[in-house]
Amino acid sequence: LSENVKVLEPVVEKEGYLLKAKIADGGKKLRKNWSTSWIVLTSRKMEFYKESKQPALANLKPGYKPECVDLCGAHIEWTPEKSSRKNVFQITTVSGNEFLLQSDIDFLILDWFHAIKNAIDRLPKE
Ligand code: I3P
């Protein structure tokens, strides 16, 4: 059974730590609050974990759900004007959620930007 379950899980394309700030929820602006997040990218969504660098472990905690971002129809763009930090880009979902992601490490943030952009470009727009 455990093997069957594993096959149904989407393939993880990329995972790692970035700084994250959610700045809008359903179109409603939120107060910016940066925090470190463990991010898991699959072909059509991103998951933000705050409690563990091992999502499998976090999943075992009853009631724990990572924040989930549907990439279908989402937009991604560099947004230097939205922060005093360097290397900031924004993901905007169809549902009006806005997330800023940041890392001081240039190659790391570039890798993430291109991985997410590629995932979005492969998906249907709605
Ligand atoms: C915010 C906090 C953020 C900062 C933001 C401030 O203050 O300092 O780190 O964003 O700037 O408003 P507070 O903690 O009092 O909410 P950056 O680090 O991205 O610059 P902003 O208002 O210009 O977005």
Side-chain angles (χ1 to χ4, degrees):
L1 176 65
S2 61
E3 276 179 32
N4 290 341
V5 168
K6 204 161 192 175
V7 168
L8 294 173
E9 283 171 7
V11 175
V12 172
E13 302 198 350
K14 190 170 177 61
E15 57 188 333
Y17 288 111
L18 288 180
L19 266 186
K20 180 204 79 169
K22 187 175 184 179
I23 58 167
D25 185 275
K28 186 172 173 282
K29 294 287 172 203
L30 299 174
R31 181 169 174 182
K32 190 196 276 168
N33 183 19
W34 289 103
S35 63
T36 302
S37 188
W38 178 258
I39 302 175
V40 178
L41 172 68
T42 59
S43 60
R44 63 165 297 149
K45 64 181 181 164
M46 296 174 76
E47 289 174 335
F48 297 135
Y49 291 83
K50 59 183 169 191
E51 293 189 8
S52 172
K53 65 177 177 180
Q54 290 168 296
L57 278 183
N59 273 322
L60 292 176
K61 291 186 185 164
Y64 180 72
K65 280 221 183 78
E67 177 148 40
C68 189
V69 177
D70 181 6
L71 291 177
C72 245
H75 288 276
I76 184 170
E77 61 183 342
W78 293 104
T79 50
E81 75 285 359
K82 293 211 176 171
S83 178
S84 59
R85 297 169 187 271
K86 69 171 194 169
N87 297 342
V88 174
F89 64 77
Q90 176 172 328
I91 298 166
T92 307
T93 67
V94 166
S95 58
N97 293 342
E98 297 174 8
F99 300 90
L100 299 180
L101 295 175
Q102 192 269 348
S103 168
D104 285 339
I105 303 166
D106 297 357
F107 77 85
L108 204 148
I109 198 74
L110 273 171
D111 273 6
W112 271 103
F113 183 88
H114 289 118
I116 298 166
K117 188 172 181 349
N118 285 340
I120 290 172
D121 289 347
R122 283 195 306 259
L123 287 165
K125 295 294 164 237
E126 51 196 82

